[in-house]
PDB file of all heavy atoms in Angstrom:
ATOM      1  N   THR A   1      78.556 -62.120  12.689  1.00  0.00           N
ATOM      2  CA  THR A   1      78.644 -62.936  13.899  1.00  0.00           C
ATOM      3  C   THR A   1      80.051 -62.891  14.475  1.00  0.00           C
ATOM      4  O   THR A   1      80.234 -62.783  15.694  1.00  0.00           O
ATOM      5  CB  THR A   1      78.241 -64.390  13.584  1.00  0.00           C
ATOM      6  OG1 THR A   1      76.924 -64.389  13.031  1.00  0.00           O
ATOM      7  CG2 THR A   1      78.247 -65.256  14.831  1.00  0.00           C
ATOM      8  N   GLN A   2      81.055 -62.950  13.607  1.00  0.00           N
ATOM      9  CA  GLN A   2      82.435 -62.858  14.082  1.00  0.00           C
ATOM     10  C   GLN A   2      82.680 -61.505  14.728  1.00  0.00           C
ATOM     11  O   GLN A   2      83.342 -61.408  15.759  1.00  0.00           O
ATOM     12  CB  GLN A   2      83.414 -63.064  12.926  1.00  0.00           C
ATOM     13  CG  GLN A   2      83.446 -64.480  12.406  1.00  0.00           C
ATOM     14  CD  GLN A   2      84.276 -64.603  11.135  1.00  0.00           C
ATOM     15  OE1 GLN A   2      84.774 -63.617  10.617  1.00  0.00           O
ATOM     16  NE2 GLN A   2      84.415 -65.813  10.641  1.00  0.00           N
ATOM     17  N   GLY A   3      82.150 -60.447  14.140  1.00  0.00           N
ATOM     18  CA  GLY A   3      82.313 -59.114  14.711  1.00  0.00           C
ATOM     19  C   GLY A   3      81.666 -59.006  16.079  1.00  0.00           C
ATOM     20  O   GLY A   3      82.205 -58.363  16.989  1.00  0.00           O
ATOM     21  N   VAL A   4      80.519 -59.643  16.245  1.00  0.00           N
ATOM     22  CA  VAL A   4      79.844 -59.622  17.541  1.00  0.00           C
ATOM     23  C   VAL A   4      80.689 -60.344  18.580  1.00  0.00           C
ATOM     24  O   VAL A   4      80.849 -59.879  19.713  1.00  0.00           O
ATOM     25  CB  VAL A   4      78.435 -60.254  17.429  1.00  0.00           C
ATOM     26  CG1 VAL A   4      77.839 -60.518  18.798  1.00  0.00           C
ATOM     27  CG2 VAL A   4      77.518 -59.361  16.627  1.00  0.00           C
ATOM     28  N   ASP A   5      81.269 -61.491  18.198  1.00  0.00           N
ATOM     29  CA  ASP A   5      82.117 -62.228  19.124  1.00  0.00           C
ATOM     30  C   ASP A   5      83.328 -61.399  19.542  1.00  0.00           C
ATOM     31  O   ASP A   5      83.708 -61.379  20.721  1.00  0.00           O
ATOM     32  CB  ASP A   5      82.574 -63.549  18.502  1.00  0.00           C
ATOM     33  CG  ASP A   5      81.422 -64.531  18.315  1.00  0.00           C
ATOM     34  OD1 ASP A   5      80.388 -64.364  19.001  1.00  0.00           O
ATOM     35  OD2 ASP A   5      81.553 -65.452  17.482  1.00  0.00           O
ATOM     36  N   GLU A   6      83.947 -60.704  18.588  1.00  0.00           N
ATOM     37  CA  GLU A   6      85.084 -59.854  18.917  1.00  0.00           C
ATOM     38  C   GLU A   6      84.661 -58.714  19.831  1.00  0.00           C
ATOM     39  O   GLU A   6      85.379 -58.369  20.774  1.00  0.00           O
ATOM     40  CB  GLU A   6      85.709 -59.304  17.641  1.00  0.00           C
ATOM     41  CG  GLU A   6      86.409 -60.347  16.797  1.00  0.00           C
ATOM     42  CD  GLU A   6      86.859 -59.808  15.450  1.00  0.00           C
ATOM     43  OE1 GLU A   6      86.710 -58.590  15.219  1.00  0.00           O
ATOM     44  OE2 GLU A   6      87.358 -60.608  14.643  1.00  0.00           O
ATOM     45  N   SER A   7      83.505 -58.119  19.569  1.00  0.00           N
ATOM     46  CA  SER A   7      83.012 -57.037  20.414  1.00  0.00           C
ATOM     47  C   SER A   7      82.733 -57.530  21.825  1.00  0.00           C
ATOM     48  O   SER A   7      83.023 -56.842  22.806  1.00  0.00           O
ATOM     49  CB  SER A   7      81.739 -56.420  19.826  1.00  0.00           C
ATOM     50  OG  SER A   7      82.021 -55.832  18.584  1.00  0.00           O
ATOM     51  N   LYS A   8      82.169 -58.728  21.940  1.00  0.00           N
ATOM     52  CA  LYS A   8      81.912 -59.288  23.269  1.00  0.00           C
ATOM     53  C   LYS A   8      83.213 -59.515  24.023  1.00  0.00           C
ATOM     54  O   LYS A   8      83.302 -59.252  25.220  1.00  0.00           O
ATOM     55  CB  LYS A   8      81.135 -60.606  23.155  1.00  0.00           C
ATOM     56  CG  LYS A   8      79.682 -60.444  22.809  1.00  0.00           C
ATOM     57  CD  LYS A   8      78.978 -61.790  22.729  1.00  0.00           C
ATOM     58  CE  LYS A   8      77.534 -61.634  22.340  1.00  0.00           C
ATOM     59  NZ  LYS A   8      76.859 -62.938  22.189  1.00  0.00           N
ATOM     60  N   GLY A   9      84.241 -60.003  23.314  1.00  0.00           N
ATOM     61  CA  GLY A   9      85.540 -60.213  23.947  1.00  0.00           C
ATOM     62  C   GLY A   9      86.137 -58.901  24.418  1.00  0.00           C
ATOM     63  O   GLY A   9      86.659 -58.813  25.544  1.00  0.00           O
ATOM     64  N   PHE A  10      86.063 -57.870  23.588  1.00  0.00           N
ATOM     65  CA  PHE A  10      86.577 -56.557  23.976  1.00  0.00           C
ATOM     66  C   PHE A  10      85.805 -56.022  25.170  1.00  0.00           C
ATOM     67  O   PHE A  10      86.387 -55.485  26.116  1.00  0.00           O
ATOM     68  CB  PHE A  10      86.491 -55.580  22.800  1.00  0.00           C
ATOM     69  CG  PHE A  10      86.898 -54.185  23.157  1.00  0.00           C
ATOM     70  CD1 PHE A  10      88.239 -53.863  23.313  1.00  0.00           C
ATOM     71  CD2 PHE A  10      85.944 -53.202  23.362  1.00  0.00           C
ATOM     72  CE1 PHE A  10      88.624 -52.575  23.655  1.00  0.00           C
ATOM     73  CE2 PHE A  10      86.318 -51.920  23.705  1.00  0.00           C
ATOM     74  CZ  PHE A  10      87.661 -51.606  23.849  1.00  0.00           C
ATOM     75  N   PHE A  11      84.491 -56.169  25.139  1.00  0.00           N
ATOM     76  CA  PHE A  11      83.665 -55.681  26.248  1.00  0.00           C
ATOM     77  C   PHE A  11      84.025 -56.411  27.542  1.00  0.00           C
ATOM     78  O   PHE A  11      84.095 -55.794  28.607  1.00  0.00           O
ATOM     79  CB  PHE A  11      82.183 -55.865  25.924  1.00  0.00           C
ATOM     80  CG  PHE A  11      81.276 -55.485  27.049  1.00  0.00           C
ATOM     81  CD1 PHE A  11      81.092 -54.148  27.385  1.00  0.00           C
ATOM     82  CD2 PHE A  11      80.624 -56.452  27.797  1.00  0.00           C
ATOM     83  CE1 PHE A  11      80.264 -53.794  28.433  1.00  0.00           C
ATOM     84  CE2 PHE A  11      79.801 -56.094  28.850  1.00  0.00           C
ATOM     85  CZ  PHE A  11      79.613 -54.767  29.167  1.00  0.00           C
ATOM     86  N   GLY A  12      84.261 -57.720  27.449  1.00  0.00           N
ATOM     87  CA  GLY A  12      84.645 -58.482  28.643  1.00  0.00           C
ATOM     88  C   GLY A  12      85.959 -57.994  29.221  1.00  0.00           C
ATOM     89  O   GLY A  12      86.085 -57.791  30.438  1.00  0.00           O
ATOM     90  N   ASP A  13      86.950 -57.795  28.347  1.00  0.00           N
ATOM     91  CA  ASP A  13      88.251 -57.297  28.819  1.00  0.00           C
ATOM     92  C   ASP A  13      88.123 -55.888  29.401  1.00  0.00           C
ATOM     93  O   ASP A  13      88.731 -55.568  30.423  1.00  0.00           O
ATOM     94  CB  ASP A  13      89.266 -57.291  27.672  1.00  0.00           C
ATOM     95  CG  ASP A  13      89.606 -58.693  27.193  1.00  0.00           C
ATOM     96  OD1 ASP A  13      89.352 -59.654  27.943  1.00  0.00           O
ATOM     97  OD2 ASP A  13      90.122 -58.816  26.059  1.00  0.00           O
ATOM     98  N   PHE A  14      87.337 -55.063  28.746  1.00  0.00           N
ATOM     99  CA  PHE A  14      87.163 -53.687  29.218  1.00  0.00           C
ATOM    100  C   PHE A  14      86.466 -53.664  30.580  1.00  0.00           C
ATOM    101  O   PHE A  14      86.849 -52.902  31.473  1.00  0.00           O
ATOM    102  CB  PHE A  14      86.364 -52.906  28.183  1.00  0.00           C
ATOM    103  CG  PHE A  14      86.295 -51.433  28.445  1.00  0.00           C
ATOM    104  CD1 PHE A  14      87.413 -50.641  28.235  1.00  0.00           C
ATOM    105  CD2 PHE A  14      85.138 -50.834  28.891  1.00  0.00           C
ATOM    106  CE1 PHE A  14      87.379 -49.282  28.473  1.00  0.00           C
ATOM    107  CE2 PHE A  14      85.091 -49.476  29.118  1.00  0.00           C
ATOM    108  CZ  PHE A  14      86.210 -48.699  28.912  1.00  0.00           C
ATOM    109  N   SER A  15      85.456 -54.519  30.748  1.00  0.00           N
ATOM    110  CA  SER A  15      84.747 -54.546  32.029  1.00  0.00           C
ATOM    111  C   SER A  15      85.655 -55.056  33.149  1.00  0.00           C
ATOM    112  O   SER A  15      85.564 -54.599  34.287  1.00  0.00           O
ATOM    113  CB  SER A  15      83.482 -55.393  31.935  1.00  0.00           C
ATOM    114  OG  SER A  15      83.813 -56.740  31.673  1.00  0.00           O
ATOM    115  N   LYS A  16      86.576 -56.003  32.831  1.00  0.00           N
ATOM    116  CA  LYS A  16      87.526 -56.461  33.841  1.00  0.00           C
ATOM    117  C   LYS A  16      88.472 -55.338  34.244  1.00  0.00           C
ATOM    118  O   LYS A  16      88.803 -55.177  35.423  1.00  0.00           O
ATOM    119  CB  LYS A  16      88.331 -57.650  33.322  1.00  0.00           C
ATOM    120  CG  LYS A  16      87.533 -58.925  33.200  1.00  0.00           C
ATOM    121  CD  LYS A  16      88.370 -60.027  32.584  1.00  0.00           C
ATOM    122  CE  LYS A  16      87.533 -61.257  32.302  1.00  0.00           C
ATOM    123  NZ  LYS A  16      88.295 -62.287  31.586  1.00  0.00           N
ATOM    124  N   THR A  17      88.902 -54.552  33.248  1.00  0.00           N
ATOM    125  CA  THR A  17      89.790 -53.425  33.551  1.00  0.00           C
ATOM    126  C   THR A  17      89.073 -52.413  34.434  1.00  0.00           C
ATOM    127  O   THR A  17      89.635 -51.914  35.410  1.00  0.00           O
ATOM    128  CB  THR A  17      90.258 -52.745  32.256  1.00  0.00           C
ATOM    129  OG1 THR A  17      90.901 -53.708  31.435  1.00  0.00           O
ATOM    130  CG2 THR A  17      91.212 -51.606  32.534  1.00  0.00           C
ATOM    131  N   LEU A  18      87.829 -52.127  34.123  1.00  0.00           N
ATOM    132  CA  LEU A  18      87.081 -51.186  34.956  1.00  0.00           C
ATOM    133  C   LEU A  18      86.812 -51.766  36.337  1.00  0.00           C
ATOM    134  O   LEU A  18      86.776 -51.034  37.328  1.00  0.00           O
ATOM    135  CB  LEU A  18      85.764 -50.801  34.279  1.00  0.00           C
ATOM    136  CG  LEU A  18      85.888 -49.834  33.111  1.00  0.00           C
ATOM    137  CD1 LEU A  18      84.511 -49.524  32.536  1.00  0.00           C
ATOM    138  CD2 LEU A  18      86.578 -48.550  33.519  1.00  0.00           C
ATOM    139  N   ALA A  19      86.637 -53.082  36.411  1.00  0.00           N
ATOM    140  CA  ALA A  19      86.430 -53.708  37.722  1.00  0.00           C
ATOM    141  C   ALA A  19      87.660 -53.523  38.602  1.00  0.00           C
ATOM    142  O   ALA A  19      87.543 -53.402  39.823  1.00  0.00           O
ATOM    143  CB  ALA A  19      86.104 -55.182  37.546  1.00  0.00           C
ATOM    144  N   ASN A  20      88.840 -53.491  37.993  1.00  0.00           N
ATOM    145  CA  ASN A  20      90.061 -53.277  38.765  1.00  0.00           C
ATOM    146  C   ASN A  20      90.096 -51.896  39.403  1.00  0.00           C
ATOM    147  O   ASN A  20      90.784 -51.683  40.400  1.00  0.00           O
ATOM    148  CB  ASN A  20      91.300 -53.462  37.887  1.00  0.00           C
ATOM    149  CG  ASN A  20      91.517 -54.906  37.515  1.00  0.00           C
ATOM    150  OD1 ASN A  20      91.059 -55.807  38.199  1.00  0.00           O
ATOM    151  ND2 ASN A  20      92.213 -55.119  36.419  1.00  0.00           N
ATOM    152  N   THR A  21      89.384 -50.946  38.842  1.00  0.00           N
ATOM    153  CA  THR A  21      89.378 -49.605  39.434  1.00  0.00           C
ATOM    154  C   THR A  21      88.584 -49.573  40.730  1.00  0.00           C
ATOM    155  O   THR A  21      88.747 -48.649  41.524  1.00  0.00           O
ATOM    156  CB  THR A  21      88.786 -48.573  38.453  1.00  0.00           C
ATOM    157  OG1 THR A  21      87.420 -48.895  38.176  1.00  0.00           O
ATOM    158  CG2 THR A  21      89.590 -48.513  37.176  1.00  0.00           C
ATOM    159  N   ARG A  22      87.741 -50.550  40.961  1.00  0.00           N
ATOM    160  CA  ARG A  22      86.937 -50.586  42.185  1.00  0.00           C
ATOM    161  C   ARG A  22      87.600 -51.402  43.298  1.00  0.00           C
ATOM    162  O   ARG A  22      87.074 -51.500  44.388  1.00  0.00           O
ATOM    163  CB  ARG A  22      85.550 -51.151  41.868  1.00  0.00           C
ATOM    164  CG  ARG A  22      84.735 -50.241  40.961  1.00  0.00           C
ATOM    165  CD  ARG A  22      83.317 -50.735  40.811  1.00  0.00           C
ATOM    166  NE  ARG A  22      83.235 -52.003  40.116  1.00  0.00           N
ATOM    167  CZ  ARG A  22      83.042 -52.161  38.816  1.00  0.00           C
ATOM    168  NH1 ARG A  22      82.917 -51.101  38.053  1.00  0.00           N
ATOM    169  NH2 ARG A  22      82.956 -53.351  38.278  1.00  0.00           N
ATOM    170  N   THR A  23      88.747 -52.009  42.992  1.00  0.00           N
ATOM    171  CA  THR A  23      89.443 -52.811  43.988  1.00  0.00           C
ATOM    172  C   THR A  23      90.072 -51.880  45.025  1.00  0.00           C
ATOM    173  O   THR A  23      90.705 -50.884  44.669  1.00  0.00           O
ATOM    174  CB  THR A  23      90.543 -53.670  43.328  1.00  0.00           C
ATOM    175  OG1 THR A  23      89.940 -54.464  42.314  1.00  0.00           O
ATOM    176  CG2 THR A  23      91.236 -54.554  44.339  1.00  0.00           C
ATOM    177  N   LYS A  24      89.923 -52.236  46.288  1.00  0.00           N
ATOM    178  CA  LYS A  24      90.477 -51.402  47.354  1.00  0.00           C
ATOM    179  C   LYS A  24      92.000 -51.461  47.303  1.00  0.00           C
ATOM    180  O   LYS A  24      92.586 -52.510  47.118  1.00  0.00           O
ATOM    181  CB  LYS A  24      89.992 -51.873  48.720  1.00  0.00           C
ATOM    182  CG  LYS A  24      88.549 -51.561  48.975  1.00  0.00           C
ATOM    183  CD  LYS A  24      88.167 -51.934  50.386  1.00  0.00           C
ATOM    184  CE  LYS A  24      86.708 -51.611  50.616  1.00  0.00           C
ATOM    185  NZ  LYS A  24      86.290 -51.907  51.982  1.00  0.00           N
ATOM    186  N   GLY A  25      92.624 -50.318  47.442  1.00  0.00           N
ATOM    187  CA  GLY A  25      94.071 -50.231  47.475  1.00  0.00           C
ATOM    188  C   GLY A  25      94.727 -50.187  46.110  1.00  0.00           C
ATOM    189  O   GLY A  25      95.945 -50.096  46.011  1.00  0.00           O
ATOM    190  N   ALA A  26      93.955 -50.271  45.005  1.00  0.00           N
ATOM    191  CA  ALA A  26      94.530 -50.227  43.656  1.00  0.00           C
ATOM    192  C   ALA A  26      94.813 -48.781  43.269  1.00  0.00           C
ATOM    193  O   ALA A  26      94.073 -47.873  43.634  1.00  0.00           O
ATOM    194  CB  ALA A  26      93.579 -50.849  42.655  1.00  0.00           C
ATOM    195  N   ASN A  27      95.915 -48.579  42.556  1.00  0.00           N
ATOM    196  CA  ASN A  27      96.253 -47.254  42.065  1.00  0.00           C
ATOM    197  C   ASN A  27      95.491 -47.030  40.768  1.00  0.00           C
ATOM    198  O   ASN A  27      95.870 -47.513  39.703  1.00  0.00           O
ATOM    199  CB  ASN A  27      97.762 -47.128  41.845  1.00  0.00           C
ATOM    200  CG  ASN A  27      98.155 -45.722  41.412  1.00  0.00           C
ATOM    201  OD1 ASN A  27      97.327 -44.826  41.313  1.00  0.00           O
ATOM    202  ND2 ASN A  27      99.438 -45.546  41.160  1.00  0.00           N
ATOM    203  N   THR A  28      94.405 -46.320  40.835  1.00  0.00           N
ATOM    204  CA  THR A  28      93.532 -46.130  39.670  1.00  0.00           C
ATOM    205  C   THR A  28      94.006 -45.009  38.764  1.00  0.00           C
ATOM    206  O   THR A  28      93.527 -44.899  37.635  1.00  0.00           O
ATOM    207  CB  THR A  28      92.094 -45.834  40.122  1.00  0.00           C
ATOM    208  OG1 THR A  28      92.114 -44.665  40.962  1.00  0.00           O
ATOM    209  CG2 THR A  28      91.522 -47.004  40.885  1.00  0.00           C
ATOM    210  N   GLN A  29      94.923 -44.211  39.212  1.00  0.00           N
ATOM    211  CA  GLN A  29      95.348 -43.061  38.408  1.00  0.00           C
ATOM    212  C   GLN A  29      95.966 -43.499  37.080  1.00  0.00           C
ATOM    213  O   GLN A  29      95.714 -42.894  36.041  1.00  0.00           O
ATOM    214  CB  GLN A  29      96.344 -42.202  39.191  1.00  0.00           C
ATOM    215  CG  GLN A  29      96.629 -40.868  38.525  1.00  0.00           C
ATOM    216  CD  GLN A  29      95.362 -40.031  38.327  1.00  0.00           C
ATOM    217  OE1 GLN A  29      94.514 -39.942  39.218  1.00  0.00           O
ATOM    218  NE2 GLN A  29      95.216 -39.441  37.157  1.00  0.00           N
ATOM    219  N   ASN A  30      96.767 -44.580  37.086  1.00  0.00           N
ATOM    220  CA  ASN A  30      97.376 -45.070  35.836  1.00  0.00           C
ATOM    221  C   ASN A  30      96.313 -45.544  34.846  1.00  0.00           C
ATOM    222  O   ASN A  30      96.434 -45.338  33.643  1.00  0.00           O
ATOM    223  CB  ASN A  30      98.358 -46.195  36.129  1.00  0.00           C
ATOM    224  CG  ASN A  30      99.597 -45.698  36.843  1.00  0.00           C
ATOM    225  OD1 ASN A  30      99.926 -44.529  36.737  1.00  0.00           O
ATOM    226  ND2 ASN A  30     100.259 -46.575  37.565  1.00  0.00           N
ATOM    227  N   ILE A  31      95.277 -46.201  35.350  1.00  0.00           N
ATOM    228  CA  ILE A  31      94.198 -46.665  34.457  1.00  0.00           C
ATOM    229  C   ILE A  31      93.475 -45.468  33.855  1.00  0.00           C
ATOM    230  O   ILE A  31      93.207 -45.417  32.655  1.00  0.00           O
ATOM    231  CB  ILE A  31      93.229 -47.584  35.224  1.00  0.00           C
ATOM    232  CG1 ILE A  31      93.954 -48.857  35.653  1.00  0.00           C
ATOM    233  CG2 ILE A  31      92.016 -47.928  34.373  1.00  0.00           C
ATOM    234  CD1 ILE A  31      93.152 -49.744  36.570  1.00  0.00           C
ATOM    235  N   TYR A  32      93.162 -44.459  34.697  1.00  0.00           N
ATOM    236  CA  TYR A  32      92.476 -43.278  34.192  1.00  0.00           C
ATOM    237  C   TYR A  32      93.355 -42.519  33.203  1.00  0.00           C
ATOM    238  O   TYR A  32      92.863 -42.000  32.202  1.00  0.00           O
ATOM    239  CB  TYR A  32      92.055 -42.371  35.344  1.00  0.00           C
ATOM    240  CG  TYR A  32      91.023 -42.995  36.255  1.00  0.00           C
ATOM    241  CD1 TYR A  32      91.081 -42.819  37.626  1.00  0.00           C
ATOM    242  CD2 TYR A  32      89.979 -43.761  35.740  1.00  0.00           C
ATOM    243  CE1 TYR A  32      90.134 -43.392  38.465  1.00  0.00           C
ATOM    244  CE2 TYR A  32      89.041 -44.340  36.571  1.00  0.00           C
ATOM    245  CZ  TYR A  32      89.121 -44.152  37.937  1.00  0.00           C
ATOM    246  OH  TYR A  32      88.191 -44.712  38.747  1.00  0.00           O
ATOM    247  N   ASN A  33      94.658 -42.455  33.458  1.00  0.00           N
ATOM    248  CA  ASN A  33      95.574 -41.786  32.528  1.00  0.00           C
ATOM    249  C   ASN A  33      95.600 -42.511  31.183  1.00  0.00           C
ATOM    250  O   ASN A  33      95.664 -41.888  30.119  1.00  0.00           O
ATOM    251  CB  ASN A  33      96.988 -41.718  33.102  1.00  0.00           C
ATOM    252  CG  ASN A  33      97.092 -40.728  34.239  1.00  0.00           C
ATOM    253  OD1 ASN A  33      96.244 -39.851  34.381  1.00  0.00           O
ATOM    254  ND2 ASN A  33      98.109 -40.885  35.063  1.00  0.00           N
ATOM    255  N   PHE A  34      95.567 -43.858  31.220  1.00  0.00           N
ATOM    256  CA  PHE A  34      95.567 -44.620  29.976  1.00  0.00           C
ATOM    257  C   PHE A  34      94.312 -44.331  29.168  1.00  0.00           C
ATOM    258  O   PHE A  34      94.367 -44.151  27.953  1.00  0.00           O
ATOM    259  CB  PHE A  34      95.666 -46.125  30.263  1.00  0.00           C
ATOM    260  CG  PHE A  34      95.518 -46.964  29.036  1.00  0.00           C
ATOM    261  CD1 PHE A  34      96.548 -47.075  28.120  1.00  0.00           C
ATOM    262  CD2 PHE A  34      94.331 -47.629  28.765  1.00  0.00           C
ATOM    263  CE1 PHE A  34      96.411 -47.828  26.976  1.00  0.00           C
ATOM    264  CE2 PHE A  34      94.179 -48.386  27.617  1.00  0.00           C
ATOM    265  CZ  PHE A  34      95.236 -48.489  26.725  1.00  0.00           C
ATOM    266  N   PHE A  35      93.158 -44.269  29.851  1.00  0.00           N
ATOM    267  CA  PHE A  35      91.916 -43.983  29.126  1.00  0.00           C
ATOM    268  C   PHE A  35      91.903 -42.556  28.601  1.00  0.00           C
ATOM    269  O   PHE A  35      91.300 -42.270  27.573  1.00  0.00           O
ATOM    270  CB  PHE A  35      90.703 -44.226  30.015  1.00  0.00           C
ATOM    271  CG  PHE A  35      90.433 -45.680  30.259  1.00  0.00           C
ATOM    272  CD1 PHE A  35      90.047 -46.121  31.511  1.00  0.00           C
ATOM    273  CD2 PHE A  35      90.563 -46.604  29.249  1.00  0.00           C
ATOM    274  CE1 PHE A  35      89.802 -47.454  31.734  1.00  0.00           C
ATOM    275  CE2 PHE A  35      90.320 -47.945  29.470  1.00  0.00           C
ATOM    276  CZ  PHE A  35      89.939 -48.373  30.723  1.00  0.00           C
ATOM    277  N   ALA A  36      92.562 -41.646  29.266  1.00  0.00           N
ATOM    278  CA  ALA A  36      92.591 -40.254  28.821  1.00  0.00           C
ATOM    279  C   ALA A  36      93.481 -40.084  27.592  1.00  0.00           C
ATOM    280  O   ALA A  36      93.143 -39.330  26.685  1.00  0.00           O
ATOM    281  CB  ALA A  36      93.084 -39.361  29.951  1.00  0.00           C
ATOM    282  N   THR A  37      94.622 -40.797  27.533  1.00  0.00           N
ATOM    283  CA  THR A  37      95.529 -40.725  26.385  1.00  0.00           C
ATOM    284  C   THR A  37      96.000 -42.142  26.055  1.00  0.00           C
ATOM    285  O   THR A  37      97.118 -42.519  26.402  1.00  0.00           O
ATOM    286  CB  THR A  37      96.751 -39.855  26.697  1.00  0.00           C
ATOM    287  OG1 THR A  37      97.390 -40.379  27.856  1.00  0.00           O
ATOM    288  CG2 THR A  37      96.378 -38.422  26.926  1.00  0.00           C
ATOM    289  N   PRO A  38      95.162 -42.945  25.421  1.00  0.00           N
ATOM    290  CA  PRO A  38      95.524 -44.347  25.185  1.00  0.00           C
ATOM    291  C   PRO A  38      96.631 -44.544  24.154  1.00  0.00           C
ATOM    292  O   PRO A  38      97.350 -45.512  24.207  1.00  0.00           O
ATOM    293  CB  PRO A  38      94.225 -44.979  24.706  1.00  0.00           C
ATOM    294  CG  PRO A  38      93.453 -43.841  24.123  1.00  0.00           C
ATOM    295  CD  PRO A  38      93.837 -42.636  24.923  1.00  0.00           C
ATOM    296  N   ILE A  39      96.803 -43.602  23.225  1.00  0.00           N
ATOM    297  CA  ILE A  39      97.781 -43.801  22.163  1.00  0.00           C
ATOM    298  C   ILE A  39      98.663 -42.564  22.092  1.00  0.00           C
ATOM    299  O   ILE A  39      98.172 -41.441  21.952  1.00  0.00           O
ATOM    300  CB  ILE A  39      97.094 -44.021  20.800  1.00  0.00           C
ATOM    301  CG1 ILE A  39      96.231 -45.270  20.842  1.00  0.00           C
ATOM    302  CG2 ILE A  39      98.125 -44.103  19.695  1.00  0.00           C
ATOM    303  CD1 ILE A  39      95.406 -45.473  19.609  1.00  0.00           C
ATOM    304  N   ALA A  40      99.960 -42.769  22.194  1.00  0.00           N
ATOM    305  CA  ALA A  40     100.907 -41.676  22.025  1.00  0.00           C
ATOM    306  C   ALA A  40     101.502 -41.803  20.636  1.00  0.00           C
ATOM    307  O   ALA A  40     102.064 -42.835  20.282  1.00  0.00           O
ATOM    308  CB  ALA A  40     102.003 -41.749  23.087  1.00  0.00           C
TER     309      ALA A  40
END
């Protein structure tokens, strides 16, 4: 149950981040670059 709650929280944060890519005038390239190479 705790794992499900954590997964739901991650999914909520992830969906908010993706929602930002649909905002008009937002620079989406940085978000896409982060998803392409999230960890250096």
Side-chain angles (χ1 to χ4, degrees):
T1 303
Q2 290 172 357
V4 168
D5 292 339
E6 291 172 5
S7 296
K8 285 181 182 177
F10 175 76
F11 176 72
D13 294 341
F14 189 73
S15 64
K16 289 176 187 174
T17 303
L18 285 180
N20 289 337
T21 63
R22 294 187 294 266
T23 304
K24 288 185 180 182
N27 184 2
T28 58
Q29 191 58 43
N30 290 336
I31 295 172
Y32 295 141
N33 288 341
F34 174 75
F35 287 139
T37 56
I39 298 173

